[in-house]
């Protein structure tokens, strides 16, 4: 009874759009045209599997996801452990790390566009760090640096968000377990590896699922960077391709087919991670 | 009983009066792009129009020019578009092809028929917005771009702006190199830079100068004359960070910083309207006379003398809005556009109206002769149902060569394949 309102909301705002997108993906419809859409069966899907452009997007998305997912997971855990290990300024650090997450992605991208400008802080910082003078690291130009730039923006934006989740995960572990381990002779390192980390597995799983989904859905940074003059090909991730196919090319059927494929990939990854985590549920009772 | 009847009568009269008034009230939404000078005069036109016709309310919504195309498409695809709007013609063309905009209501704007309206304008003005004998837009402006020069920066580099300005694209590289200042590899002052998103307007003419075309004459084959395209691609490689390092799309837009006269850009490519913006942003620089305008260059081995393409912003009316609103929208458009001199003097945009162009004061405006000569050498921007899409493909090709150092042949093959695929698509 109590879940009915949320079921209605989910059906209206999530399930219906997904089903509608799936239905649309079997049609050829020009976004501008008032003509009725033409049924094309699986053509949009077979086109995508043959399209070099689509596979380049898949490759770009994978590079971005791998380049962002692992550092985000590892460093957010390290930062959470650091925050929980200090008693002073804990709240300050939590707020400081979390603050980029409240910024809109567009604003974040705009801030970083200024930093990555050839005359911006990124070049100045790298030149100061490496003791060089006047080297342009081409943050927004060359393939490798451009991909790294998008990863840095995402890492900066979400590291605090996932750190806070880990902090709450660590906070939910009863102190008695750590105290017992310390009495048994464990040091800080063994306490972390043999007590805290295993008990954090549900949180780690949650963070890894959320991180992966966030990475696969990345859009704003790539959109803003390409709008500001960065080349599209190295960072043409699937979501950007979906946007361009629908909004610039007017091919809404093909764009929805891409969306469905992305949805399937995200669904499979989530399901796999949940299956793996099911055997590792933690209970303190 | 009598009291009840009177009360009912009163309620009915009130409801009827409200209904009638409601039916007469027209609320129009007008989307346009940012331009501070134009905003001032158009807000005044709106006030005047609303005073003349108190039943009409006009809501003017301003969007950033670069975002207008996306916003408009999203609004139209959701069947929630504004009643009237303007966009560059290369973007508006698709809306006309798909009948999303309404034909001009000649009677509403005070003309007997189409011919009477056509006669008031420069020949060919309505060609880009004519389909199946119907005209779908009224020109807000017809614009072409030439090269603006900061004379101080030329002199600072030991050049005479009057004599040493670049006449060819090859000279452009040499002159820009002399004007450019760098801190190591980082450019602190550019000699010149392009307006990168607008490849159909500013870059396709470079290909055409060398005998190349985007599509064959029958419109069925992508990319004509590979050599012309490859030469232009290589020119851009030389221009970019993998060549002489003279500019790049990742630097701040040259046109935007030109007005500030901050010793960071020597030349930029823009239209007559830039003068109005310099006047607002930096009146001292505007009055100093330390800027000038010169023609769009050509390649040394050019086979065609083609200048930058001109484009139009046409006022259009949403075909899905009610006939009554369409009629009022056309009336309002006609009211606004009936101030061609004010648009020219205040906003520096040119309506291609015969009376305006024939006025002796017109050619006396600063550097108008340069713009008019370039317009004569140019042609209307490439128009195609998928033009917006082709421009994105060209952008990707050039930026892959310029910034990612992709071989020009590979970039051209990808460009050809992508455009051909669109042309071959039967949908």
């Amino acid at each position: 009874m109590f879940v009915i309102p949320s079921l209605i909301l989910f059906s209206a705002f999530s399930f219906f759009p997904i089903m509608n997108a799936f239905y649309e993906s079997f049609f050829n419809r020009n976004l501008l045209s008032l003509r009725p859409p033409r049924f094309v069966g699986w053509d949009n899907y077979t086109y995508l599997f043959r399209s070099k452009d689509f596979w380049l997007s898949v490759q770009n998305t994978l590079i971005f996801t791998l380049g962002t997912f692992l550092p985000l997971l590892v460093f957010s855990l390290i930062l959470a452990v650091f925050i929980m290990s200090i008693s002073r300024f804990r709240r300050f650090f939590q707020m400081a790390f979390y603050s980029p997450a409240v910024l809109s992605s567009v604003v974040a991208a705009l801030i970083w566009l200024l930093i990555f400008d050839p005359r911006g802080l990124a070049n100045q910082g790298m030149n100061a760090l490496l003791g060089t003078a006047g080297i342009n690291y081409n943050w927004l130009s060359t393939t490798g640096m451009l991909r790294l730039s998008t990863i840095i923006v995402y890492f900066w934006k979400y590291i605090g968000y996932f750190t806070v989740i880990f902090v709450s995960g660590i906070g939910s572990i009863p102190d008695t377990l750590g105290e017992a381990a310390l009495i048994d002779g464990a040091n800080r390192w063994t306490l972390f590896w043999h007590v805290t980390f295993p008990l954090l597995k549900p949180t780690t799983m949650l963070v890894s699922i959320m991180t992966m989904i966030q990475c696969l859905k990345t859009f704003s940074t790539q959109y803003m960077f390409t709008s500001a003059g960065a080349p599209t090909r190295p960072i043409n991730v699937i979501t950007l391709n979906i946007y361009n196919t629908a909004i610039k090319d007017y091919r809404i059927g093909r764009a929805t087919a891409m969306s469905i494929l992305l949805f399937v990939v995200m669904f499979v990854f989530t399901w796999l991670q949940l299956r793996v985590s099911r055997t590792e549920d933690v209970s303190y009772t | 009983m009598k009291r009840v009847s009177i009360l009912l009568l009163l309620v009915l009269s009130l409801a009827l009066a409200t209904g009638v008034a409601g039916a007469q009230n027209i609320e129009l939404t007008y989307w346009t792009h940012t331009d501070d000078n134009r905003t001032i005069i158009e807000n005044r036109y709106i006030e005047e129009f609303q005073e003349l016709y108190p039943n009409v309310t006009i809501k003017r919504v301003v969007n950033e020019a670069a975002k207008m195309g996306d916003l408009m498409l999203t609004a139209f695809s959701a069947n929630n578009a504004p009643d009237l709007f303007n966009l560059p013609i290369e973007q508006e063309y698709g809306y006309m092809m798909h009948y999303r905009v309404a034909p001009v209501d000649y009677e509403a704007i005070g003309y007997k028929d189409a011919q009477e309206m056509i006669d008031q304008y420069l020949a060919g003005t309505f060609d880009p917005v004519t389909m199946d004998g119907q005209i779908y837009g009224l020109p807000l402006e017809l614009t072409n771009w030439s090269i603006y020069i900061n004379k101080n920066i030329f002199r600072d580099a030991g050049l005479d702006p009057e004599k040493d300005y670049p006449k060819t694209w090859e000279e452009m590289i040499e002159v820009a190199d002399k004007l450019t200042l760098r801190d190591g590899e980082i450019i602190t002052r550019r000699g010149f830079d392009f307006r990168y998103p607008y490849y159909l307007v500013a870059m396709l003419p470079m290909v055409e100068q060398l005998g190349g075309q985007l599509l064959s004459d029958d419109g069925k084959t992508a990319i004509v004359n590979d050599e012309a395209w490859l030469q232009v691609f290589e020119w851009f490689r030389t221009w970019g960070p993998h060549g002489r390092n003279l500019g790049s799309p990742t630097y701040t837009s040259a046109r935007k910083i030109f007005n500030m006269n901050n010793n960071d850009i020597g030349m930029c490519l823009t239209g007559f309207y830039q003068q109005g913006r310099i006047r607002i942003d930096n009146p001292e620089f505007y009055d100093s006379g330390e800027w000038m305008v010169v023609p769009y260059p050509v390649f040394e081995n050019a086979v065609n003398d083609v200048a930058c393409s001109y484009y139009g912003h046409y006022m259009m009316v949403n075909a899905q809005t009610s006939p009554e609103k369409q009629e009022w929208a056309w009336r309002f458009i006609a009211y606004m556009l009936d101030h061609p001199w004010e648009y020219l003097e205040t906003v520096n945009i040119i309506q291609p109206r015969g009376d305006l162009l024939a006025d002796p004061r017109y050619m006396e405006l600063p550097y108008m002769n340069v713009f008019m000569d370039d317009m004569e050498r140019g042609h209307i921007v490439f128009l195609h149902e998928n033009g917006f899409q082709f421009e994105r493909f060209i952008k990707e090709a050039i930026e892959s060569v310029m910034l990612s150092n992709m071989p020009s042949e590979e970039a051209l093959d990808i460009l050809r394949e992508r455009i051909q695929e669109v042309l071959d698509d039967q949908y």
Side-chain angles (χ1 to χ4, degrees):
Chain A
M1 188 68 182
F2 294 110
V3 294
I4 287 175
S6 55
L7 274 178
I8 292 171
L9 287 174
F10 173 77
S11 305
F13 296 110
S14 294
F15 191 67
F16 172 71
I18 293 168
M19 287 297 109
N20 189 50
F22 186 61
Y23 175 76
E24 284 269 359
S25 70
F26 294 109
F27 290 86
N28 234 349
R29 185 162 82 85
N30 185 306
L31 207 54
L32 265 186
S33 175
L34 291 169
R35 281 185 301 168
R38 186 165 57 89
F39 181 76
V40 292
W42 294 95
D43 279 7
N44 284 325
Y45 291 93
T46 51
Y47 169 84
L48 290 176
F49 287 120
R50 282 186 284 109
S51 163
K52 287 180 202 164
D53 196 44
F54 175 69
W55 286 111
L56 178 68
S57 296
V58 172
Q59 185 193 328
N60 286 332
T61 307
L62 286 177
I63 290 170
F64 178 82
T65 303
L66 289 175
T68 314
F69 168 74
L70 286 175
L72 261 181
L73 197 65
V74 172
F75 283 97
S76 55
L77 178 59
I78 290 172
L79 284 175
V81 172
F82 163 72
I83 285 172
M84 292 303 281
S85 68
I86 56 172
S87 49
R88 294 184 69 189
F89 302 118
R90 185 183 287 183
R91 279 204 177 278
F92 167 76
F93 278 113
Q94 272 180 273
M95 276 168 58
F97 286 132
Y98 189 75
S99 54
V102 296
L103 277 181
S104 89
S105 302
V106 174
V107 174
L110 284 172
I111 292 170
W112 281 92
L113 274 172
L114 291 174
I115 294 171
F116 289 139
D117 182 274
R119 286 189 280 180
L121 283 174
N123 273 341
Q124 289 173 23
M126 285 295 281
N127 279 317
L129 202 69
L130 301 176
T132 53
I135 302 287
N136 185 357
Y137 289 90
N138 291 311
W139 297 92
L140 297 174
S141 308
T142 54
T143 302
M145 290 306 285
L146 183 53
R147 283 173 174 159
L148 179 64
S149 302
T150 56
I151 288 170
I152 289 171
V153 176
Y154 227 71
F155 179 83
W156 171 80
K157 180 149 170 52
Y158 286 104
I159 183 77
Y161 179 72
F162 293 117
T163 300
V164 168
I165 295 177
F166 269 125
V167 164
S168 63
I170 294 171
S172 68
I173 299 171
D175 292 341
T176 48
L177 294 173
E179 286 160 7
L182 288 173
I183 290 167
D184 287 345
N187 59 28
R188 292 273 170 202
W189 184 245
T190 48
L191 173 67
F192 174 76
W193 273 117
H194 297 289
V195 178
T196 312
F197 188 62
L199 292 175
L200 263 182
K201 276 191 178 167
T203 312
T204 311
M205 203 48 65
L206 173 75
V207 169
S208 65
I209 291 170
M210 286 173 72
T211 316
M212 184 160 288
I213 290 174
Q214 284 286 354
C215 291
L216 289 168
K217 287 198 308 183
T218 178
F219 171 74
S220 313
T221 312
Q222 287 80 0
Y223 171 75
M224 292 301 293
F225 279 19
T226 51
S227 300
T232 309
R233 281 180 70 81
I235 52 171
N236 190 15
V237 289
I238 295 177
T239 47
L240 186 63
N241 200 345
I242 290 170
Y243 172 82
N244 282 330
T245 306
I247 302 295
K248 298 277 166 70
D249 304 352
Y250 314 145
R251 288 181 161 78
I252 192 71
R254 200 172 282 171
T256 49
M258 260 191 272
S259 310
I260 293 298
L261 291 177
L262 181 63
F263 170 76
V264 169
V265 169
M266 288 198 287
F267 186 82
V268 168
F269 273 126
T270 310
W271 178 77
L272 272 175
Q273 283 170 315
L274 283 173
R275 261 194 78 88
V276 171
S277 67
R278 196 176 296 166
T279 55
E280 292 166 357
D281 280 348
V282 174
S283 166
Y284 302 115
T285 55
Chain B
M1 188 62 194
K2 198 180 172 186
R3 275 185 190 170
V4 171
S5 302
I6 291 170
L7 194 67
L8 266 175
L9 201 67
L10 272 171
V11 169
L12 273 173
S13 311
L14 192 68
L16 200 65
T18 315
V20 169
Q24 286 175 340
N25 282 339
I26 298 286
E27 198 175 306
L28 298 174
T29 308
Y30 164 36
W31 281 16
T32 189
H33 61 280
T34 45
D35 185 324
D36 294 341
N37 292 322
R38 197 157 59 83
T39 296
I40 294 167
I41 62 167
E42 288 190 353
N43 279 341
R44 202 186 73 236
Y45 298 155
I46 289 172
E47 280 175 25
E48 289 168 4
F49 192 80
Q50 288 178 160
E51 270 176 35
L52 279 174
Y53 305 101
N55 60 321
V56 181
T57 312
I58 296 156
K59 188 180 167 194
R60 186 175 185 270
V61 181
V62 178
N63 298 294
E64 199 185 321
K67 302 272 184 294
M68 272 284 281
D70 290 3
L71 289 170
M72 197 65 72
L73 183 68
T74 312
F76 265 99
S77 60
N79 294 324
N80 197 22
D83 302 303
L84 62 147
F85 65 95
N86 69 279
L87 278 177
I89 182 60
E90 62 270 32
Q91 290 179 26
E92 288 179 316
Y93 197 70
Y95 292 83
M96 185 178 73
M97 296 293 284
H98 289 287
Y99 300 98
R100 300 304 297 263
V101 286
V104 174
D105 186 338
Y106 309 111
E107 280 182 28
I109 61 172
Y111 292 112
K112 183 176 71 199
D113 54 23
Q115 195 54 50
E116 195 186 357
M117 184 181 80
I118 292 167
D119 291 343
Q120 304 299 315
Y121 285 85
L122 189 69
T125 296
F126 293 102
D127 292 353
V129 286
T130 302
M131 188 176 69
D132 305 331
Q134 296 269 26
I135 295 171
Y136 287 86
L138 285 176
L140 170 69
E141 62 169 300
L142 209 59
T143 301
N144 67 332
W145 298 342
S146 298
I147 311 281
Y148 276 70
I149 284 178
N150 184 320
K151 295 184 193 176
N152 283 323
I153 290 177
F154 265 65
R155 288 195 207 99
D156 184 53
L159 298 172
D160 180 350
E162 306 290 342
K163 290 181 190 161
D164 298 329
Y165 70 83
K167 286 99 184 163
T168 66
W169 289 113
E170 289 81 358
E171 281 178 14
M172 177 60 89
I173 286 179
E174 298 308 324
V175 172
D177 202 20
K178 286 177 186 158
L179 300 178
T180 301
L181 296 178
R182 297 183 187 84
D183 170 16
E185 296 169 358
I186 300 166
I187 302 172
T188 53
R189 182 176 83 186
R190 278 172 291 169
F192 167 76
D193 220 348
F194 284 87
R195 296 182 64 172
Y196 286 97
Y198 303 101
Y199 286 92
L200 291 178
V201 172
M203 174 268 166
L204 192 55
M206 293 169 77
V207 176
E208 291 168 352
Q209 288 177 355
L210 298 166
Q213 288 174 221
L214 183 58
L215 302 184
S216 57
D217 291 336
D218 62 6
K220 291 181 178 169
T221 310
I223 308 295
V224 174
N225 192 345
D226 282 16
E227 288 309 310
W229 283 90
L230 292 173
Q231 185 178 332
V232 172
F233 281 10
E234 283 306 312
W235 190 94
F236 273 96
R237 188 196 309 281
T238 308
W239 188 260
H242 297 285
R244 303 271 287 267
N245 190 23
L246 297 167
S248 145
T250 58
Y251 282 91
T252 312
S253 161
R255 183 188 67 78
K256 283 185 183 166
I257 57 175
F258 183 85
N259 300 359
M260 296 301 129
N261 186 28
N262 278 341
N263 195 33
D264 46 16
I265 189 80
M267 294 178 276
C268 72
L269 187 62
T270 184
F272 180 74
Y273 59 83
Q274 189 74 19
Q275 296 178 25
R277 296 183 185 185
I278 300 174
R279 203 168 52 225
I280 272 204
D281 292 342
N282 192 349
E284 199 182 321
F285 180 48
Y286 180 82
D287 294 330
S288 70
E290 285 302 315
W291 56 273
M292 58 186 265
V293 184
V294 299
Y296 183 82
V298 288
F299 279 103
E300 281 171 5
N301 60 336
V303 293
N304 298 311
D305 182 18
V306 183
C308 202
S309 293
Y310 52 88
Y311 60 91
H313 270 260
Y314 286 79
M315 299 297 305
M316 291 189 163
V317 171
N318 183 354
Q320 282 176 296
T321 200
S322 70
E324 203 179 10
K325 276 190 169 191
Q326 286 181 26
E327 186 190 326
W328 280 103
W330 283 120
R331 281 190 190 193
F332 172 62
I333 289 170
Y335 183 83
M336 281 201 300
L337 299 186
D338 208 22
H339 300 81
W341 259 110
E342 190 165 25
Y343 273 106
L344 184 62
E345 286 183 317
T346 313
V347 195
N348 287 78
I349 59 176
I350 304 162
Q351 281 185 38
R353 290 166 61 125
D355 54 347
L356 181 78
L357 304 184
D359 194 309
R361 291 174 295 168
Y362 178 75
M363 287 307 286
E364 287 167 12
L365 292 166
Y367 301 104
M368 185 54 84
N369 58 328
V370 177
F371 287 102
M372 287 292 104
D373 289 348
D374 265 6
M375 193 172 272
E376 221 161 275
R377 291 166 56 215
H379 56 74
I380 188 82
V381 65
F382 173 88
L383 294 175
H384 191 278
E385 184 185 352
N386 301 98
F388 202 24
Q389 190 177 0
F390 295 163
E391 188 165 54
R392 182 164 62 84
F393 295 161
I394 297 171
K395 173 185 185 291
E396 286 181 27
I398 293 200
E399 289 171 7
S400 294
V401 172
M402 196 175 172
L403 302 176
S404 305
N405 212 14
M406 180 187 275
S408 292
E409 291 78 5
E410 187 185 343
L412 186 61
D413 285 342
I414 293 170
L415 176 64
R416 188 198 328 271
E417 191 180 311
R418 298 184 78 182
I419 295 179
Q420 195 62 52
E421 186 192 305
V422 174
L423 295 176
D424 293 343
D425 195 340
Q426 293 304 303
Y427 175 62

